[in-house]
């Protein structure tokens, strides 16, 4: 009986030691993403507002037509740059956000939103004309 209780206790502790998930699993949209031209037409010169992957934190980013960018994050305003790849990925690099490392995402149009997806994040953004930051 003591062995059974000890086994249950070990299993219970093991279950408690596992970290909670950070958010929903990242799932790519079916079908091909938007082309570089379609992405540029949707975002250049506009402000996207939405939530960060795995959180309820709202943020905005203005994507100027010249490739510069500005993000309004919970930590403050961050400046950066964005570009499009020939194979239709949107890439960004911020001065502070994500440690200043460039990251790229596929973009999908879903209803009123644009879904930016890579293997570690999903952002749903609604774009409004002009600079809203």
């Amino acid at each position: 009986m003591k062995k059974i209780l000890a086994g249950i206790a070990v299993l219970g502790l093991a279950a408690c030691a596992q970290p909670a998930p950070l958010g929903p699993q990242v799932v790519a949209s079916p079908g091909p993403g938007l082309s570089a031209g379609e992405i540029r037409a949707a975002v250049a010169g506009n402000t996207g507002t939405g939530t960060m992957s795995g959180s309820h934190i709202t943020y905005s980013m203005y994507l100027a037509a010249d490739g510069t960018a500005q993000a309004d994050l919970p930590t403050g305003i961050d400046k950066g740059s964005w570009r499009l790849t020939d194979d239709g990925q949107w890439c960004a690099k911020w001065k502070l956000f994500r440690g200043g490392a460039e990251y790229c995402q596929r973009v999908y149009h879903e209803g009123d939103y644009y879904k930016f997806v890579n293997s570690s994040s999903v952002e749903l953004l609604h774009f409004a004309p002009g600079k809203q930051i």
Side-chain angles (χ1 to χ4, degrees), residues 71-111:
D72 185 1
L73 303 165
T75 55
I77 300 294
D78 198 1
K79 294 186 180 208
S81 60
W82 68 279
R83 68 182 181 90
L84 298 168
T85 64
D86 291 340
D87 67 343
Q89 290 192 68
W90 177 86
C91 301
K93 183 176 181 180
W94 302 98
K95 185 174 182 181
L96 301 173
F97 184 58
R98 296 187 185 209
E102 183 180 63
Y103 63 97
C104 296
Q105 297 172 299
R106 293 270 174 219
V107 181
Y108 303 88
H109 189 201
E110 297 186 355

Side-chain angles (χ1 to χ4, degrees), residues 17-65:
Q18 295 183 14
L22 296 176
Q25 182 179 1
V26 174
V27 178
S29 295
L34 298 177
S35 69
E38 290 169 321
I39 298 168
R40 179 172 296 286
V43 306
N46 297 323
T47 301
T49 302
T51 55
M52 289 187 181
S53 184
S55 75
H56 297 289
I57 297 170
T58 300
Y59 75 105
S60 296
M61 64 178 176
Y62 170 67
L63 303 174

